[in-house]
Amino acid sequence: MSSDSTTDTIVLIHGFWVTPRSWEHWVTRYEQQGYRVITPAYPGYEVEVEALNADPSPIEAATIPGIVEHLESVVRELDTPPILMGHSAGGAFVQILLDHGFGAAGVALNSAPTEGVPVVPLSQIKATFPVLGNPANRHKAVGYTHEQWHYAFTNTFTEEESRALYERYHIPASGSILFESALANLVPGHQGTYVDYHNDQRAPLLFVAGTEDHLMPAKIQWSNAKHYKSATVTEVAEFSGKCHLLPAQQGWEEIADYALAWAARHASARLTQGAATTA
């Protein structure tokens, strides 16, 4: 572990259409550096990919408040504030957890937007159309075909690589949560993905954007970051040629190392400052 880090735990939060299995390479890499790595599943997602594909009822039952409450309970049990990293929808959950006072630093990779981010690129419309294009999907668990997965998740991969990852990682996604997120800016009052963009107590946050991402394009990452008006650190890093499935993208090691170095540096500074303040 880096000697300047004052947190020894990393929490990796998965997104939709995948499970904690999608972090398998990052878990090994971070554990080899001396970190304790936790990959919490959403409530009901604790089973294997194959089981969720056979019985998606836990996905249909999932809610944003239920997921957030579960993630908070996991982090609350830790002795020291961890580094939080989330991919896709997991990036939005990282933002929510940070806003609620959890974590020493956060990294949101190809993050889904939090409430109030209006940017909807055409590629995102195409990538989410298999779910949002049919109102009947609102209360279902909706999977991708491999062709749809390839466009949304693995468009820079070969056909063979994409299909192998589809078979290893893909599960259906919650139609109700996707519809709720898509309509969050149109419904009065705060919705499940609300964060306080003026929260000066929030831990530092890094957005990581893949320039070839169709599902959560770099435009969304930049727009989400610009919404933050707080005094704390908010930054964006772009990685050229990278698509949505960053945890398995060729060259993922560079991304994992950059994210950890950034988070460890800012977590150390924040925790040191906090210790000095309370001394």
Side-chain angles (χ1 to χ4, degrees):
M1 190 195 313
S2 173
S3 61
D4 66 351
S5 175
T6 52
T7 182
D8 62 355
T9 304
I10 302 170
V11 178
L12 301 175
I13 303 173
H14 67 92
F16 295 150
W17 284 289
V18 295
T19 71
R21 183 187 288 181
S22 63
W23 288 112
E24 57 187 341
H25 304 307
W26 293 49
V27 171
T28 300
R29 192 169 188 84
Y30 289 159
E31 286 181 341
Q32 289 174 344
Q33 297 180 52
Y35 285 90
R36 175 190 182 193
V37 184
I38 301 172
T39 56
Y42 303 157
Y45 288 56
E46 297 87 357
V47 298
E48 294 293 344
V49 166
E50 295 77 11
L52 285 171
N53 279 313
D55 177 16
S57 56
I59 300 172
E60 295 173 352
T63 65
I64 293 176
I67 293 171
V68 171
E69 181 179 356
H70 174 66
L71 295 174
E72 289 182 349
S73 71
V74 170
V75 177
R76 191 178 287 112
E77 293 179 358
L78 301 176
D79 293 333
T80 57
I83 291 170
L84 303 175
M85 296 189 187
H87 172 241
S88 195
F93 292 132
V94 164
Q95 294 182 65
I96 294 169
L97 291 179
L98 293 178
D99 183 47
H100 291 183
F102 295 93
V107 180
L109 302 109
N110 285 346
S111 181
T114 42
E115 183 180 328
V117 179
V119 176
V120 186
L122 289 176
S123 67
Q124 186 188 46
I125 294 174
K126 180 177 179 179
T128 56
F129 188 78
V131 179
L132 301 179
N134 183 355
N137 289 332
R138 187 160 188 164
H139 302 290
K140 298 179 180 179
V142 185
Y144 277 139
T145 65
H146 173 254
E147 181 181 6
Q148 293 164 345
W149 162 272
H150 185 69
Y151 180 83
F153 272 73
T154 55
N155 51 292
T156 63
F157 290 66
T158 67
E159 176 80 13
E160 182 179 7
E161 291 168 337
S162 175
R163 189 169 293 279
L165 292 169
Y166 176 77
E167 293 175 356
R168 180 152 183 77
Y169 295 147
H170 170 268
I171 62 169
S174 166
S176 63
I177 292 179
L178 290 169
F179 269 93
E180 178 182 348
S181 299
L183 299 174
N185 296 336
L186 304 177
V187 178
H190 297 322
Q191 306 304 306
T193 56
Y194 168 80
V195 297
D196 178 5
Y197 293 118
H198 297 269
N199 181 2
D200 291 334
Q201 303 306 311
R202 192 212 73 209
L205 171 63
L206 172 69
F207 287 88
V208 174
T211 61
E212 303 306 312
D213 186 358
H214 285 164
L215 184 58
M216 298 294 170
K219 287 183 179 179
I220 292 177
Q221 311 311 310
W222 284 101
S223 179
N224 202 155
K226 288 178 180 177
H227 275 67
Y228 282 97
K229 308 300 181 184
S230 57
T232 190
V233 176
T234 307
E235 296 181 4
V236 182
E238 282 195 9
F239 284 84
S240 179
K242 306 304 183 184
C243 63
H244 188 66
L245 194 59
L246 283 177
Q249 173 85 60
Q250 184 177 10
W252 64 266
E253 297 92 342
E254 176 191 6
I255 302 170
D257 290 348
Y258 182 94
L260 178 55
W262 188 97
R265 182 172 69 253
H266 285 281
S268 177
R270 177 178 174 83
L271 294 174
T272 300
Q273 180 181 30
T277 300
T278 57

